[in-house]
C-alpha cells in the first residue's frame, strides 16, 4: 500500500491532507484493516472546535470501536455525509473517498509534530 | 501463555489462508480469514467451511445408558430414533445451565455428546460425578476433528465426496460413512441457521478432508469462515451461546429453552427448581432486540430504564449483515419482554433506543423432504 507522500500521519493512524489552511482528515488503510468490516461512523458537527489529540468521533466495526483523534487543532467545516451513509467506503478507499471531515486549521505549525509518509510506514512495520 | 494453548489439526491450513488467529477456549482458532461480513454472507448465499475441532465429544455407553442419560439432560432422549441428533441441555439442581449440547443416539446403549469447547472438562466432571455402575463415560475430544460445511450449496458440494446418498440424511439425523474415503460421522446439523453438515473425522484425516472439500467447493464459491462469522450467523438465527446467553446464573426457562425441557419426564436434574420457577412466574427473560439507532450493543452493556437505572444486560450483540441492522440478545425484566417493547441500552455512555423482536432474526426456507 502506498501511503500518499503529501499527507501527514498520526501515531493513532489518522491522515491529514493540507490544502492552504484547510485539512482533509481520514484514517489510514492500516487502520481500516485492523478494524475489519466498518458498519457505523460517528462524526462531529460542522462548527465544532477541537484541540489536537482530542477525540472527534468514532468508527465502529463488527468486532470493535475505535476513536478518531483530531490531528491538529481547528474547526470542523465539512463532514462526509457519504461515508456516514456508506461506512464501508472507509474499508475500500480509506485514503480518498473514505475521508471523514474537513477542518479549518488553527495553527499550521502543529503539522510539524506529525509523521510523514516514510515515518508512518516505519511505524506500522514495527507494529506488525 | 502460548505454550499451554492447543492447536487443531488444521492450524497450518488456517495460517496458509492468512487467517487472523485468536485464543478461544484454550485453542488457537481462526477468527476471520478476510472479511467477517463476506464470510457470513458466503454461508447465507453459497457455503462456508468452519474448523470446529475445538468442540468436545464425550461418549456414553452402558446397558442402562438411555435411562441414566435421560436423568442428566432436560430433553427426552427416549423419543429419539437411532442415528438422530437432539439439541439438549444439562442443568444444575437450581435449574441453571451446565451446558447446551447435541446428543447423538447410536443405539439404546451408546450415545455421543457434542459439547462446547470451553466446557469439555466441566461437562466430563459433571457426568463423572453422577456416574452409576455399568455406565462408561469417555472423553474422546482429543481424538476427533470436526468440520462444519454450511449454506444452501453445502449438500451439492459434499454429495460426490460422500459414499452414501446425502439426501437421505435428513435434518438432525446422522450417518456413519466416508468423506473422500475417510471414515466420518456425517450429521445434518449446524450452528448457522442454514442447511449444512457437521463432519466428525479423525485428526489424521482432517487436513486431507479439509483440502478436498475446499478444492471441490471452488466452483461453488465455498469460503473458509472463522469464529467471528460463526457468531454473527448463529446470532441472526436466534441460537444461544453458552457463556454469553446462558450460564450457571441463568435458568433454562429464563434463557428461553422451554422447548427442550420435558417436564413430563419422571425425573431429571433441575426439574424441581424449574417447576417451582414456572409456578411462581419468571422475573426476567432472554429476548432478542434490534437497535433503532446507530451503534452495536455488545455483551455486558446495560439495559436501563428511563431514569437510567440498570435493569438488565446485553448477553450477545453484533451487526447483522443479512438484515443490515444491529441485533442482539438481552436479559430484561419480564414486563419488557413483549415484541415491539422499546428498551434503552447504554452504549459506552450514550443511551440508545432498541426494540424487542421475536427470535429468530433470520430463518431460511425449510427444505421439504
Amino acid at each position: 500500500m502506498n501511503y500518499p507522500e503529501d499527507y501527514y500521519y498520526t501515531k493513532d493512524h489518522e491522515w491529514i491532507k493540507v490544502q492552504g489552511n484547510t485539512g482533509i482528515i481520514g484514517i489510514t488503510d492500516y487502520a481500516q484493516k485492523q478494524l475489519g468490516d466498518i458498519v457505523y461512523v460517528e462524526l462531529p458537527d460542522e462548527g465544532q472546535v477541537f484541540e489536537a489529540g482530542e477525540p472527534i468521533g468514532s468508527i465502529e466495526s463488527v468486532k470493535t470501536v475505535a476513536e478518531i483523534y483530531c490531528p491538529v487543532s481547528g474547526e470542523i467545516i465539512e463532514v462526509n455525509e457519504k461515508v456516514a451513509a456508506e461506512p464501508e467506503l472507509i474499508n475500500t478507499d480509506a485514503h480518498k473517498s473514505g475521508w471523514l471531515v474537513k477542518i479549518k486549521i488553527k495553527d499550521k505549525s502543529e503539522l510539524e509534530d506529525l509523521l510523514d509518509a516514510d515515518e508512518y510506514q516505519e511505524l506500522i512495520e514495527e507494529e506488525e | 501463555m502460548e505454550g499451554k494453548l492447543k492447536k487443531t489439526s488444521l492450524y497450518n491450513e488456517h495460517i496458509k489462508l492468512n487467517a487472523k488467529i485468536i485464543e478461544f477456549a484454550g485453542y488457537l482458532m481462526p477468527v476471520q480469514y478476510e472479511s467477517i461480513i463476506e464470510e457470513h454472507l458466503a454461508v447465507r448465499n453459497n457455503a462456508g467451511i468452519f474448523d470446529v475441532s475445538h468442540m468436545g465429544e464425550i461418549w456414553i455407553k452402558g446397558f442402562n445408558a438411555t435411562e441414566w442419560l435421560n436423568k442428566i439432560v432436560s430433553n427426552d432422549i427416549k423419543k429419539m430414533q437411532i442415528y438422530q441428533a437432539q439439541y439438549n441441555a444439562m442443568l444444575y439442581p437450581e435449574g441453571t445451565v451446565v451446558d447446551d449440547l447435541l446428543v447423538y443416539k447410536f443405539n439404546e446403549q451408546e450415545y455421543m455428546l457434542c459439547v462446547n469447547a470451553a466446557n469439555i472438562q466441566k461437562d466430563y466432571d459433571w457426568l463423572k460425578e453422577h456416574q452409576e455402575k455399568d455406565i462408561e463415560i469417555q472423553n474422546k475430544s482429543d481424538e476427533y476433528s470436526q468440520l462444519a460445511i454450511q449454506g444452501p450449496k453445502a449438500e451439492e458440494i459434499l454429495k460426490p465426496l460422500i459414499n452414501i446418498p446425502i439426501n437421505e440424511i435428513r435434518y438432525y439425523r446422522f450417518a456413519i460413512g466416508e468423506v473422500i474415503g475417510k471414515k466420518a460421522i456425517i450429521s445434518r446439523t449446524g450452528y448457522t441457521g442454514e442447511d449444512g453438515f457437521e463432519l466428525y473425522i479423525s485428526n489424521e484425516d482432517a487436513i486431507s478432508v479439509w483440502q478436498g472439500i475446499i478444492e471441490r467447493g471452488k466452483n461453488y464459491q465455498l469460503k473458509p469462515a472463522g469464529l467471528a462469522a460463526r457468531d454473527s450467523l448463529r446470532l441472526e438465527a436466534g441460537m444461544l451461546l453458552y457463556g454469553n446467553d446462558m450460564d450457571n446464573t441463568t435458568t433454562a426457562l429464563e434463557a428461553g429453552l422451554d422447548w427442550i425441557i420435558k417436564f413430563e419426564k419422571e425425573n431429571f436434574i433441575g426439574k424441581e427448581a424449574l417447576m417451582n420457577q414456572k409456578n411462581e412466574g419468571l422475573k426476567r427473560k432472554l429476548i432478542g432486540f434490534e437497535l433503532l439507532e446507530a451503534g452495536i450493543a455488545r455483551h455486558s452493556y446495560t439495559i436501563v430504564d428511563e431514569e437510567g437505572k440498570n435493569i438488565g444486560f446485553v448477553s450477545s450483540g453484533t451487526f447483522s449483515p443479512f438484515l443490515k441492522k444491529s441485533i442482539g440478545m438481552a436479559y430484561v425484566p419480564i414486563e419488557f419482554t413483549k415484541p415491539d417493547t422499546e428498551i434503552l441500552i447504554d452504549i459506552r455512555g450514550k443511551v440508545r433506543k432498541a426494540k424487542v423482536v421475536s427470535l429468530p432474526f433470520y430463518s431460511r426456507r425449510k427444505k421439504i423432504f
Side-chain angles (χ1 to χ4, degrees):
Chain A
M1 163 58 51
N2 276 327
Y3 286 89
E5 293 287 323
D6 58 335
Y7 288 15
Y8 292 91
Y9 299 86
T10 70
K11 294 200 181 87
D12 300 306
H13 312 289
E14 289 92 14
W15 55 262
I16 177 166
K17 176 177 174 164
V18 178
Q19 291 165 325
N21 285 322
T22 307
I24 309 176
I25 298 169
I27 64 163
T28 65
D29 187 69
Y30 175 80
Q32 71 79 14
K33 271 206 203 86
Q34 296 300 304
L35 288 169
D37 305 293
I38 294 170
V39 292
Y40 294 114
V41 187
E42 236 185 82
L43 297 174
D45 295 318
E46 284 173 28
Q48 278 194 272
V49 171
F50 296 96
E51 292 296 304
E54 253 194 280
I56 61 173
S58 61
I59 298 182
E60 183 146 28
S61 69
V62 175
K63 57 179 185 175
T64 190
V65 191
E67 304 258 272
I68 311 162
Y69 297 99
C70 212
V72 294
S73 313
E75 182 191 325
I76 305 295
I77 53 174
E78 199 183 327
V79 165
N80 188 351
E81 303 291 346
K82 194 145 191 267
V83 119
E86 292 170 47
E88 57 275 17
L89 275 173
I90 303 174
N91 289 123
T92 55
D93 196 11
H95 295 168
K96 292 244 186 61
S97 55
W99 67 272
L100 300 171
V101 297
K102 285 187 186 158
I103 191 168
K104 189 164 90 187
I105 303 175
K106 184 171 124 185
D107 179 1
K108 279 177 97 163
S109 70
E110 282 180 350
L111 294 167
E112 286 155 36
D113 299 327
L114 304 180
L115 309 170
D116 64 27
D118 289 332
E119 289 166 337
Y120 182 68
Q121 293 217 240
E122 253 183 70
L123 175 77
I124 59 179
E125 262 154 51
E126 273 165 39
E127 283 193 12
E128 267 168 352
Chain B
M1 220 201 310
E2 265 234 15
K4 292 200 172 141
L5 293 171
K6 294 159 101 162
K7 292 178 179 171
T8 71
S9 303
L10 294 166
Y11 179 79
N12 286 329
E13 298 301 304
H14 305 315
I15 300 296
K16 276 194 327 203
L17 292 166
N18 281 319
K20 204 159 195 170
I21 304 286
I22 56 152
E23 188 193 319
F24 184 82
Y27 280 86
L28 290 167
M29 297 295 289
V31 67
Q32 64 186 102
Y33 296 84
E34 349 163 327
S35 142
I36 300 172
I37 292 183
E38 267 179 46
E39 291 165 28
H40 179 116
L41 292 172
V43 170
R44 292 269 177 259
N45 297 322
N46 300 305
I49 181 168
F50 301 82
D51 174 11
V52 287
S53 304
H54 59 321
M55 303 284 283
E57 293 84 7
I58 300 176
W59 246 263
I60 307 294
K61 286 188 197 166
F63 186 74
N64 288 318
T66 302
E67 282 295 334
W68 177 80
L69 188 56
N70 220 20
K71 290 187 291 188
I72 309 273
V73 297
S74 64
N75 206 344
D76 194 348
I77 64 170
K78 284 190 180 169
K79 299 251 165 82
M80 292 174 76
Q81 308 280 332
I82 63 167
Y83 301 127
Q84 185 179 342
Q86 186 190 71
Y87 182 56
N88 218 321
M90 296 195 290
L91 309 178
Y92 291 105
E94 296 80 17
T96 51
V97 189
V98 178
D99 204 3
D100 67 337
L101 60 148
L102 278 201
V103 174
Y104 288 74
K105 183 173 195 159
F106 286 82
N107 57 62
E108 294 293 333
Q109 282 86 40
E110 186 179 346
Y111 292 85
M112 176 185 78
L113 312 181
C114 179
V115 300
N116 283 300
N119 295 331
I120 297 173
Q121 192 57 50
K122 179 181 80 169
D123 290 354
Y124 177 74
D125 291 342
W126 178 255
L127 292 161
K128 291 290 279 181
E129 205 182 303
H130 294 88
Q131 189 169 19
E132 284 170 17
K133 199 160 100 85
D134 299 329
I135 298 291
E136 241 180 271
I137 302 168
Q138 293 168 307
N139 181 0
K140 297 196 184 179
S141 307
D142 288 339
E143 294 170 37
Y144 281 89
S145 293
Q146 195 190 145
L147 305 181
I149 297 91
Q150 304 279 305
K153 297 198 181 146
E155 185 184 279
E156 223 181 310
I157 292 170
L158 291 174
K159 191 163 155 170
L161 306 179
I162 290 180
N163 67 333
I164 51 179
I166 199 171
N167 55 312
E168 285 176 15
I169 305 175
R170 290 162 54 215
Y171 193 52
Y172 272 75
R173 298 298 165 105
F174 67 96
I176 300 168
E178 283 174 7
V179 185
I180 315 180
K182 311 290 184 192
K183 180 152 186 258
I185 299 167
I186 303 159
S187 72
R188 192 170 214 138
T189 49
Y191 193 50
T192 60
E194 294 303 324
D195 185 29
F197 297 84
E198 293 178 313
L199 313 174
Y200 298 79
I201 53 184
S202 78
N203 296 328
E204 301 77 61
D205 295 334
I207 294 178
S208 62
V209 174
W210 168 273
Q211 286 180 349
I213 297 173
I214 294 229
E215 187 56 41
R216 159 89 186 142
K218 279 191 173 134
N219 287 335
Y220 297 86
Q221 288 95 54
L222 171 76
K223 275 193 193 296
L227 292 182
R230 181 167 160 86
D231 189 51
S232 53
L233 285 159
R234 68 95 191 162
L235 187 44
E236 267 184 2
M239 299 167 94
L240 273 54
L241 173 64
Y242 188 89
N244 271 21
D245 312 307
M246 56 177 155
D247 59 23
N248 62 354
T249 68
T250 64
T251 72
L253 290 175
E254 289 169 345
L257 293 175
D258 322 46
W259 59 290
I260 59 165
I261 302 165
K262 302 300 181 196
F263 288 107
E264 58 273 19
K265 288 205 299 186
E266 334 81 74
N267 197 22
F268 61 89
I269 305 174
K271 177 179 175 177
E272 209 182 303
L274 291 181
M275 294 243 49
N276 289 338
Q277 189 175 50
K278 200 164 126 165
N279 292 332
E280 281 166 30
L282 295 182
K283 302 223 165 50
R284 64 170 182 171
K285 198 148 186 223
L286 184 71
I287 49 96
F289 66 82
E290 211 176 84
L291 269 179
L292 298 171
E293 300 182 70
I296 296 180
R298 300 182 194 262
H299 171 70
S300 83
Y301 286 8
T302 49
I303 312 284
V304 294
D305 66 11
E306 265 146 29
E307 280 90 52
K309 200 181 90 181
N310 186 335
I311 60 170
F313 64 94
V314 175
S315 55
S316 289
T318 191
F319 181 77
S320 158
F322 190 82
L323 302 169
K324 294 198 178 54
K325 293 183 194 176
S326 271
I327 58 171
M329 294 179 184
Y331 278 94
V332 296
I334 203 77
E335 49 282 15
F336 286 83
T337 55
K338 228 171 81 176
D340 290 331
T341 305
E342 195 177 276
I343 57 172
L344 301 171
I345 309 180
D346 182 339
I347 299 188
R348 300 186 312 280
K350 292 207 177 106
V351 176
R352 302 281 193 212
K353 293 195 192 125
K355 73 167 182 183
V356 176
V357 297
S358 304
L359 296 171
F361 304 94
Y362 163 90
S363 131
R364 68 184 165 104
R365 283 174 316 234
K366 288 209 156 31
K367 238 180 171 184
I368 320 280
F369 289 97

